[in-house]
Amino acid sequence: MAKEQLQVLNALDVAKTQWYHFTAILISGMGFFTDAYDLFCISLVTKLLGRIYYHVDGSSKPGTLPPNVAAAVNGVALCGTLAGQLFFGWLGDYLGRKRVYGMTLLLMVMCSIASGLSFGSSPKTVMATLCFFRFWLGFGIGGDYPLSATIMSEYSNKKTRGAFIAAVFAMQGFGILGGGMVAIVVSAIFGAKYDAPSYMVDPLGSTVPQADYVWRIILMFGALPAALTYYWRMKMPETARYTALVAKNAGKASIDMSKVLQIEIEEEEDKVESLEQDQANSFRLFSKEFLHRHGLHLLGTASTWFLLDITYYSQNLFQKDIFSAIGWLPPAKSMSAIEELYKIAKAQTLIALCGTVPGYWFTVALIDRMGRFSIQLMGFSLMTVFMLALAIPYSHWTLPENHIGFVIMYALTFFFANFGPNSTTFVVPAEIFPARLRSTCHGISAACGKAGAIIGAFGFLYAAQNQDKSKTDAGYPAGIGMKNSLIVLSVINCFGVLFTFLVPESKGKSLEEMSRENEEVEIQANRIESV
């Protein structure tokens, strides 16, 4: 038996698309632009860091980061993100979305800038400083996941809610693209001003001293878009669903949304009193009632995000290694340090432009027509197909005449990751849980995703090494090779297909209908007891 919904919540559900929707997308989306820029730009500069700080005199190959350092540099921000998703997800339900939203952004701005600074000049101190600030950068980024998704879902109407939440997440694609473009511009400027020979010609001279500024500028640039949106984040009112359903102040929710929607909304004092006395939906996260209602849903959102991110981050963070393995990038010793950065950035930007960014916006366009379940199932399935198509005839793709074909197939795996589970795993947890637990449950799901990303980042680094020990990167043991690594990733995608069946479809339904907050559970229970 459904309760009569508060007018303010109903007004949000049926509201036509208005300017405030696009403002919310932009304000929340710029946070995700920064998130993606900061998380993925590190993959552009790791080879440059190796050349600058780990050069070995007399070596036939340019310096590379030692395995433990490379794993730390690539993975430490992901560890911080996992912790931030859990902490800020809980805090967003405890203190309110708006109060916490500014904290995450300030942390991101400060730590983006600090990531480019060093307390000392030795390799150890530079890497320690970088890892320290990238952990806290990740902590701030982690908070942006549950808060941005929850805020956008609670502001949206039920007809186009999926597209609005997906549009916020789609800014991640522009962040990845932006990182590549900034790296291209910075490396081109420094390369033109400070000409350097290849490593083969002059091992020491191939890395000019000014290259140390290049990676710092690229990392620090991530603070700019976040800083530009801080004022507007602070101007956003608290979401009506938090104010009414969690803070139990439907009167204030009505006043706030009357200003936003520019319509008159009744304060409904009688329903306010009813909400304050209602115990029917007061169960907490660790309760039998939550387990009964949403236990499988949480397992579904957490497991699919976990499986996706193993694949997604191993591909994204180590594109440069995959490109080198198939010969799309020239041998490192044939380039100078800045030239190598330029070519890595150009390759990753091409993949982002052709596969990553379009995939996100296909989701935005079709999610409220096709539904979340269909897009996620399709994405996992086609990622499996394309990865197997890359892995099984792997030797075929390593031939120079087949490099373009490899890049096309590789871009398609990104396209269907983003027009698929990478978008839907972000959208669904913001729609199916009760308002008082929504941010927490999204944070738990996202944290499971980052656990998968950490496995992908650390595991792929070792697994993708050549099976011949003499052909591995310096300091690494023999791995299972690129071909077998791609096969393992395709199997992981198959499990993603299976766990998708635990995730409910939320297309066209209100948040209260999905979370069952509009059911009179207490009345029904009393009726059963009286029979």
Side-chain angles (χ1 to χ4, degrees):
M1 185 177 176
K3 294 177 183 177
E4 188 181 348
Q5 192 177 34
L6 284 168
Q7 186 183 341
V8 63
L9 304 186
N10 186 62
L12 284 166
D13 279 342
V14 300
K16 293 181 179 179
T17 300
Q18 299 178 33
W19 179 247
Y20 87 90
H21 286 121
F22 295 109
T23 303
I25 289 170
L26 187 62
I27 294 169
S28 301
M30 286 310 292
F32 263 88
F33 178 98
T34 305
D35 295 350
Y37 182 99
D38 288 329
L39 283 178
F40 292 110
C41 69
I42 193 67
S43 67
L44 295 166
V45 301
T46 48
K47 290 206 172 188
L48 180 61
L49 289 170
R51 285 192 184 231
I52 295 171
Y53 295 106
Y54 293 92
H55 171 74
V56 178
D57 288 328
S59 173
S60 60
K61 295 180 181 179
T64 58
L65 296 179
N68 60 328
V69 176
V73 168
N74 280 296
V76 70
L78 299 177
C79 296
T81 303
L82 187 156
Q85 286 163 337
L86 292 173
F87 177 73
F88 286 113
W90 166 78
L91 203 62
D93 284 333
Y94 184 72
L95 294 180
R97 290 51 160 137
K98 180 188 174 180
R99 291 178 68 183
V100 183
Y101 211 25
M103 299 180 198
T104 63
L105 203 67
L106 281 177
L107 193 57
M108 287 158 58
V109 170
M110 290 188 294
C111 292
S112 287
I113 295 169
S115 292
L117 306 176
S118 301
F119 300 137
S121 57
S122 70
K124 188 174 181 180
T125 54
V126 171
M127 294 303 136
T129 305
L130 179 62
C131 288
F132 175 81
F133 285 115
R134 280 191 65 79
F135 175 86
W136 290 107
L137 171 64
F139 193 70
I141 288 171
D144 223 46
Y145 275 73
L147 293 169
S148 290
T150 301
I151 286 170
M152 199 64 240
S153 72
E154 293 181 345
Y155 265 116
S156 301
N157 60 56
K158 62 183 179 182
K159 184 180 178 182
T160 56
R161 185 180 60 239
F164 290 155
I165 304 172
V168 170
F169 194 62
M171 295 299 288
Q172 190 180 72
F174 288 123
I176 296 170
L177 184 63
M181 292 176 70
V182 169
I184 288 172
V185 171
V186 173
S187 59
I189 292 170
F190 275 78
K193 189 168 179 62
Y194 305 102
D195 191 29
S198 69
Y199 186 86
M200 289 188 298
V201 175
D202 183 356
L204 201 58
S206 66
T207 306
V208 295
Q210 292 79 7
D212 195 44
Y213 294 114
V214 173
W215 68 268
R216 298 175 191 273
I217 292 169
I218 292 170
L219 294 187
M220 294 170 78
F221 188 86
L224 185 60
L228 291 175
T229 58
Y230 179 76
Y231 171 78
W232 299 107
R233 280 200 180 190
M234 294 299 93
K235 292 285 286 183
M236 291 177 74
E238 181 58 85
T239 70
R241 285 183 161 90
Y242 181 86
T243 305
L245 299 175
V246 183
K248 306 295 187 186
N249 191 344
K252 186 176 188 310
S254 298
I255 294 169
D256 288 344
M257 290 305 105
S258 291
K259 295 175 183 176
V260 170
L261 297 172
Q262 296 181 337
I263 60 173
E264 194 67 36
I265 301 174
E266 291 181 32
E267 294 189 21
E268 303 175 293
E269 294 297 336
D270 56 329
K271 291 182 185 175
V272 175
E273 293 176 10
S274 174
L275 276 171
E276 290 172 349
Q277 296 170 6
D278 182 24
Q279 299 298 314
N281 287 294
S282 61
F283 58 85
R284 306 311 301 167
L285 180 64
F286 300 107
S287 66
K288 288 183 180 179
E289 186 62 30
F290 177 86
L291 187 63
H292 172 69
R293 290 201 196 188
H294 300 292
L296 285 178
H297 296 163
L298 186 57
L299 175 62
T301 57
S303 60
T304 51
W305 207 335
F306 171 79
L307 293 166
L308 165 78
D309 273 8
I310 294 176
T311 304
Y312 190 76
Y313 278 81
S314 61
Q315 280 188 290
N316 241 319
L317 288 174
F318 302 106
Q319 281 186 50
K320 61 187 183 301
D321 302 302
I322 295 171
F323 294 151
S324 298
I326 65 155
W328 196 35
L329 290 176
K333 63 183 179 181
S334 69
M335 299 180 282
S336 68
I338 293 177
E339 182 187 3
E340 184 180 31
L341 169 63
Y342 176 82
K343 291 190 174 178
I344 290 170
K346 191 167 70 170
Q348 292 197 194
T349 301
L350 181 63
I351 291 292
L353 196 60
C354 298
T356 306
V357 173
Y360 283 113
W361 291 98
F362 265 73
T363 302
V364 173
L366 297 173
I367 191 169
D368 288 310
R369 298 180 187 178
M370 292 177 61
R372 291 74 164 142
F373 178 84
S374 298
I375 289 177
Q376 184 161 309
L377 197 65
M378 175 196 69
F380 269 128
S381 300
L382 290 175
M383 286 171 70
T384 303
V385 170
F386 286 117
M387 282 197 177
L388 286 174
L390 289 173
I392 293 172
Y394 182 73
S395 57
H396 166 80
W397 299 115
T398 60
L399 301 175
E401 62 268 23
N402 297 324
H403 289 174
I404 293 175
F406 180 93
V407 171
I408 292 171
M409 297 286 283
Y410 189 64
L412 283 170
T413 64
F414 277 107
F415 177 82
F416 285 106
N418 296 311
F419 180 33
N422 193 40
S423 296
T424 54
T425 52
F426 177 80
V427 172
V428 175
E431 300 181 304
I432 63 176
F433 299 107
R436 68 189 175 283
L437 301 173
R438 186 169 291 136
S439 180
T440 301
C441 289
H442 194 285
I444 291 170
S445 301
C448 288
K450 283 300 167 284
I454 292 165
I455 291 172
F458 286 87
F460 194 84
L461 196 63
Y462 288 87
Q465 294 295 320
N466 200 292
Q467 291 173 292
D468 182 349
K469 179 67 174 70
S470 64
K471 296 180 181 179
T472 61
D473 292 337
Y476 287 89
I480 61 174
M482 193 66 70
K483 175 179 179 175
N484 291 328
S485 296
L486 289 171
I487 290 173
V488 169
L489 294 179
S490 66
V491 172
I492 290 169
N493 288 328
C494 285
F495 280 104
V497 171
L498 297 176
F499 279 97
T500 294
F501 287 94
L502 296 176
V503 180
E505 179 56 71
S506 51
K507 181 181 74 170
K509 298 178 181 177
S510 73
L511 297 178
E512 288 68 46
E513 185 180 355
M514 285 306 302
S515 64
R516 295 168 61 186
E517 285 171 289
N518 60 353
E519 291 182 6
E520 290 188 333
V521 177
E522 188 176 35
I523 293 174
Q524 291 173 348
N526 290 337
R527 284 179 177 172
I528 292 170
E529 289 174 3
S530 64
V531 172

